[in-house]
Amino acid sequence: MARDPLHGVVDAPLFIVPRVMEGLRAYRPGLEGLAAAEFERLRRRLLEGIEGHPTRFWVLKQVQKSRDAVEGEDISARKQFNAALEALLAIVGAS
């Protein structure tokens, strides 16, 4: 049985103000291929759901879905994707 990557994550409320939503709308990290498409799906999920689920755990669950989707990409693409995720987490205050 695989270990849940979010096991032990400390949940916290996020303060989703208009500036956060504007940052999410504006952030385009310049990824390519599958990583770009998956990042856009994640960004859309966050834009559509974060106001209704303003918690660190919810955001990290969304991020984990996207990380799983790019698992088969080459190491360089995954590194770029993970760097973009770190910046995204900082925008929403979930890092």
Side-chain angles (χ1 to χ4, degrees):
M1 181 193 259
R3 187 179 84 79
D4 180 1
L6 297 178
H7 175 74
V9 166
V10 177
D11 199 11
L14 301 176
F15 300 100
I16 306 303
V17 296
R19 179 177 43 85
V20 170
M21 296 301 286
E22 290 166 12
L24 269 175
R25 282 186 199 96
Y27 185 55
R28 310 278 182 177
L31 300 169
E32 297 178 359
L34 175 63
E38 188 55 42
F39 190 88
E40 184 56 27
R41 282 190 285 276
L42 169 62
R43 200 175 68 80
R44 255 187 272 124
R45 280 196 312 270
L46 292 179
L47 285 168
E48 292 170 2
I50 198 168
E51 289 178 307
H53 306 278
T55 66
R56 184 172 184 255
F57 188 79
W58 185 83
V59 169
L60 293 178
K61 274 298 246 198
Q62 304 311 306
V63 166
Q64 189 59 46
K65 288 178 193 176
S66 293
R67 276 194 172 141
D68 290 348
V70 299
E71 186 67 31
E73 291 294 286
D74 66 55
I75 189 82
S76 177
R78 286 196 322 262
K79 281 184 178 183
Q80 290 175 346
F81 188 76
N82 285 332
L85 290 178
E86 289 300 320
L88 185 77
L89 290 173
I91 289 169
V92 301
S95 51

